[in-house]
């Protein structure tokens, strides 16, 4: 199998599968229990919180576990939403941000302009901020095309205008890959997820700077285990997530992934005509390469490739069946709009795998273009 859909989800590291299995056997007590067995599990959760806090350079008590980035994004947006407040975001957000805003009670949600590579316009952001602005939420690494926003610069613009505005980033595609140091980035809140870093699914987290904690409201009421989200603590998943993140430090080789990305892009550019590279060449995550093939239906191409055990995405998995909102925001030529394929990499892909992918791409693109 050649799995090139790692931005949708990753395969758990084998070591983490073993860690989680062992944890389920040995540490199945409820960490909220008063007995010593419960305390042992609580200590494991504490260890996980410490690992993640040190990874993002925050305090332990600023990390809240959630069931994933979707929940984290919803917690932030719903906490700040009110008929008196306005928020600012981009056209390039994940559906869990866009949909949460669409269903929120904000007086207005303003959209920052962007260029045709997905980078936001700093003047546009500055001009949108007014006295009612209480939240700015920005995607750090865009999940369909990979553009990386200059978060520090954005933070400086916001904080220069009003330091009480909560600045939140969705770092789901960034964690474990590029720096997520919350102090260097200058963010007040950050969402992230375990299953994008070879950890288990259904677990993620939210960083909230201590001084902003008072503004955050729970989404699920109950035992208040994670303050903003109630329910029995998923200790095995939390611990495995932290271990996956720790392992990613050793296993992930950014320059190897960059090499794979460039290799695939260049051979596609050199062998297939009428293509458009939607991912920027600079300031882009090497883990994501989005290429549109003119006059091709990406779904047809995707299904032909799966016949050879090659798995890619058309647009993002979360916007299945819809025309890509993101590609529309980039003003991509209509002729390319239906033909975008996202290749997303991991450490276990080789150049030989990519040679095979390109051989099949050449064959199928030619076949589809002959028919349509
Ligand atoms: N934000 C981004 C940028 C994502 O890529 C994803 C996952 N596709 C999410 C949020 C949602 O993450 P989760 O699956 O953990 O809810």
């Amino acid at each position: 199998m050649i799995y090139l859909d790692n931005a949708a989800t990753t395969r758990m590291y084998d070591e983490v599968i073993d860690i989680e299995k062992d944890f389920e056997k040995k540490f199945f007590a409820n960490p909220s229990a008063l007995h010593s067995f419960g305390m042992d599990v609580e200590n494991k959760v504490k260890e996980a919180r410490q690992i993640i806090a040190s990874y993002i350079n925050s305090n332990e008590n600023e990390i809240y576990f959630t069931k994933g980035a979707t929940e984290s994004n919803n917690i932030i947006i719903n906490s700040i939403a009110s008929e008196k407040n306005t928020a600012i975001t981009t056209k390039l957000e994940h559906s869990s941000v866009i949909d949460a805003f669409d269903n929120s009670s904000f007086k207005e949600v303003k959209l920052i302009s962007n260029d045709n590579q997905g980078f936001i316009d700093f003047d546009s952001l500055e001009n949108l901020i007014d006295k009612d602005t209480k939240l700015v939420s920005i995607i750090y690494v865009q999940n369909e095309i990979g553009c990386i926003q200059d978060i520090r610069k954005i933070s400086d613009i916001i904080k220069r205008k009003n330091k009480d505005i909560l600045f939140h980033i969705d770092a789901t595609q960034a964690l474990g890959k590029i720096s997520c140091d919350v102090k260097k980035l200058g963010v007040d809140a950050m969402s992230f997820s375990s299953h994008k870093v070879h950890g288990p699914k259904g677990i993620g987290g939210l960083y909230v700077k201590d001084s902003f904690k008072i503004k955050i409201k729970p989404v699920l009421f109950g035992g208040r285990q994670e303050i903003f989200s109630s329910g029995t603590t998923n200790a095995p998943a939390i611990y495995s997530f932290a271990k996956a993140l720790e392992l990613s430090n050793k296993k992930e080789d950014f320059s190897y992934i960059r090499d794979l990305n460039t290799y695939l892009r260049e051979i596609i550019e050199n062998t297939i005509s009428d293509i458009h590279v939607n991912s920027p060449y600079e300031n882009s995550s090497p883990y994501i390469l989005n290429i549109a093939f003119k006059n091709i239906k990406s779904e047809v191409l995707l299904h032909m490739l799966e016949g050879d055990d090659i798995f890619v995405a058309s647009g993002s998995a979360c916007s299945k069946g819809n025309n890509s909102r993101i590609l529309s925001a980039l003003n991509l030529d209509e002729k390319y709009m239906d033909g975008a394929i996202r290749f997303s990499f991991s450490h276990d892909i080789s150049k030989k795998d990519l040679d095979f992918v390109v051989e099949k791409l050449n064959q199928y693109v030619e076949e589809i273009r002959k028919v349509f």
Side-chain angles (χ1 to χ4, degrees), residues 114-167:
N114 56 270
D115 66 14
N116 61 8
Q117 296 197 302
F119 296 109
I120 67 155
D121 176 344
F122 301 116
D123 293 335
S124 162
L125 164 66
E126 191 152 5
N127 293 334
L128 290 177
I129 299 172
D130 65 19
K131 63 171 185 19
D132 294 329
T133 308
K134 295 288 183 285
L135 171 67
V136 178
S137 184
I138 308 257
I139 190 163
Y140 185 6
V141 172
Q142 211 292 323
N143 54 297
E144 283 188 41
I145 57 168
C147 60
I148 304 174
Q149 303 293 347
D150 187 340
I151 298 299
R152 180 74 231 186
K153 186 159 179 183
I154 295 168
S155 168
D156 290 343
I157 293 170
I158 299 167
K159 298 295 168 180
R160 226 178 14 244
K161 283 241 171 177
N162 180 356
K163 63 177 179 25
D164 293 331
I165 295 172
L166 191 154
F167 178 34

Side-chain angles (χ1 to χ4, degrees), residues 230-279:
S230 294
T232 301
T233 307
N234 190 350
I238 289 172
Y239 190 74
S240 308
F241 170 26
K243 289 288 160 182
L245 194 58
E246 212 171 43
L247 262 174
S248 75
N249 242 349
K250 290 189 206 126
K251 290 202 178 238
E252 296 302 314
D253 181 346
F254 199 77
S255 62
Y256 176 67
I257 302 288
R258 170 141 332 275
D259 205 27
L260 288 180
N261 186 312
T262 309
Y263 185 75
L264 181 61
R265 178 173 54 74
E266 285 180 352
I267 34 176
I268 292 178
E269 281 174 331
N270 292 336
T271 59
I272 305 180
S273 62
D274 293 324
I275 59 133
H276 183 268
V277 180
N278 293 318
S279 300

Side-chain angles (χ1 to χ4, degrees), residues 197-217:
V197 292
H198 305 275
K201 295 173 190 22
I203 195 75
L206 176 64
Y207 154 79
V208 179
K209 193 176 180 177
D210 210 30
S211 52
F212 278 88
K213 183 179 165 187
I214 191 154
K215 296 187 189 242
I216 310 303
K217 298 177 195 143

Side-chain angles (χ1 to χ4, degrees), residues 53-79:
S54 104
Y55 196 90
I56 67 165
N57 193 20
S58 76
N59 297 326
E60 239 180 271
N61 63 359
E62 294 172 314
I63 303 286
Y64 304 90
F65 290 109
T66 62
K67 71 183 173 65
T70 299
E71 184 177 345
S72 304
N73 290 337
N74 274 265
I75 290 174
I76 291 298
I77 291 165
N78 289 320
S79 293

